[in-house]
Amino acid sequence: MNILLGEVNPIAISVGPITVYWYGIIIAAAMFVAIYLTTREGNKRGLAEDTIIDTSLWAIPIGFIGARLYYVLFELDYYLQNPTEIIAIWNGGIAIYGGLIAGGLTVYIYTKRKKIPLALLLDVLAPNVLLAQSIGRWGNFMNQEAHGGPVSRQFLENLYLPNVIIEQMNVNGTYYHPTFLYESLWSLLGFCVIIILRNRKKLLRQGEVALSYVLWYSTGRFFIEGMRTDSLWIGDLIRVSQALSLVLVIGAIIIWYLRRQDYPPNPYYLEGNQNLETSK
């Protein structure tokens, strides 16, 4: 990878039959950051470190399987003709929403079995997942994927982007919208906003941090998805991620409203685990 010349090689290391891609390294780094930050925050809110680690050990691999299956199902004709490509995740083809659905269901089942407060655990996880998504989008950058429609080089220069990003958006002689960057920056901004709001006293109740994540990410994804050229479609009518984003935004608003009607009211996020679970 020659950054100075604006050249990017998606392969980080290649030794004999072993090939390590930047995509995988970046995704792994994103997960490590998310687990580290979640463990620290969990300790502050009365969730044991073992709880975070055990949840991650289940949710991450199942989330990856869900993310891949989600993508494969919406591109089924291609993968039925090329079945060996199903496991080639290093070439991309990971659908974030599929991972969130599978990972979220895993967390739900785990918390019910272990009698851990689901809303609090999701609140601790949510902003760090958003940060991991921000980091992970740079794996798409390395693979020259998840980009938008054609633009001029002048358009990219007017965004004051470094040359390495501009040139990486040059795919076979055509420059494209760096939608990976738009989503990465949107997710990073959302992480900062949610962390600030989460630490305000008497503001967000348990469950509302996670709902803030859903609202923030889904809103941005709805608009950014409309710019992408690699969207999954329902027929030729609607982009899957846009439809799901809209459903999630509406659903999050309804759930937020209904939770605010609960009596007695849900505890505030900063009150943490009222069962006083402590780290070992």
Side-chain angles (χ1 to χ4, degrees), residues 5-275:
L5 296 178
E7 298 176 358
V8 176
N9 187 338
I11 297 176
I13 303 171
S14 182
V15 180
I18 299 174
T19 301
V20 179
Y21 291 81
W22 281 111
Y23 184 93
I25 292 175
I26 291 170
I27 296 298
M31 290 189 297
F32 175 81
V33 170
I35 293 172
Y36 173 73
L37 293 178
T38 301
T39 301
R40 289 188 59 186
E41 181 65 16
N43 281 331
K44 295 178 184 178
R45 305 301 158 216
L47 295 174
E49 182 174 328
D50 288 348
T51 294
I52 305 300
I53 300 300
D54 290 347
T55 303
S56 301
L57 289 175
W58 283 101
I60 289 176
I62 292 176
F64 261 109
I65 293 172
R68 186 58 173 174
L69 286 177
Y70 182 99
Y71 185 87
V72 169
L73 286 174
F74 283 101
E75 295 286 350
L76 194 56
D77 289 343
Y78 171 81
Y79 286 105
L80 286 177
Q81 297 177 29
N82 303 275
T84 59
E85 288 292 309
I86 292 176
I87 62 172
I89 60 173
W90 50 86
N91 291 328
I94 295 292
I96 288 178
Y97 273 139
L100 293 175
I101 292 170
L105 287 174
T106 303
V107 172
Y108 173 80
I109 294 171
Y110 183 86
T111 55
K112 291 303 179 184
R113 293 187 61 183
K114 298 295 183 178
K115 297 182 179 180
I116 299 165
L118 173 63
L120 180 60
L121 180 55
L122 289 177
D123 286 347
V124 172
L125 281 168
N128 301 323
V129 170
L130 193 54
L131 178 61
Q133 289 173 234
S134 176
I135 297 170
R137 278 301 174 195
W138 288 88
N140 299 133
F141 164 75
M142 301 302 297
N143 283 355
Q144 291 185 302
E145 61 189 8
H147 57 69
V151 295
S152 66
R153 179 183 175 87
Q154 186 62 49
F155 173 87
L156 298 177
E157 291 176 350
N158 290 343
L159 296 179
Y160 299 100
L161 299 177
N163 189 62
V164 63
I165 293 180
I166 292 175
E167 288 306 320
Q168 191 67 353
M169 288 299 97
N170 181 351
V171 183
N172 298 323
T174 302
Y175 290 94
Y176 292 94
H177 268 293
T179 45
F180 87 91
L181 178 62
Y182 304 158
E183 186 170 324
S184 179
L185 294 177
W186 177 255
S187 297
L188 179 60
L189 178 60
F191 167 78
C192 296
V193 170
I194 294 174
I195 289 296
I196 291 171
L197 296 178
R198 188 175 73 172
N199 290 327
R200 295 287 297 273
K201 293 181 179 180
K202 305 295 182 180
L203 181 61
L204 295 180
R205 295 189 179 276
Q206 291 184 18
E208 293 177 352
V209 178
L211 289 172
S212 298
Y213 159 80
V214 174
L215 284 169
W216 184 278
Y217 178 71
S218 298
T219 298
R221 181 61 185 268
F222 178 86
F223 291 102
I224 295 171
E225 186 68 23
M227 304 170 65
R228 287 176 55 169
T229 59
D230 61 345
S231 298
L232 300 173
W233 289 79
I234 300 175
D236 294 323
L237 301 175
I238 187 170
R239 300 170 195 261
V240 175
S241 290
Q242 281 191 310
L244 185 53
S245 293
L246 187 59
V247 169
L248 289 173
V249 167
I250 295 172
I253 292 172
I254 293 173
I255 293 172
W256 196 313
Y257 172 78
L258 293 176
R259 286 178 61 84
R260 281 284 172 164
Q261 309 310 307
D262 288 347
Y263 188 85
N266 296 296
Y268 286 103
Y269 170 76
L270 292 180
E271 293 176 13
N273 185 2
Q274 297 184 340
N275 294 325

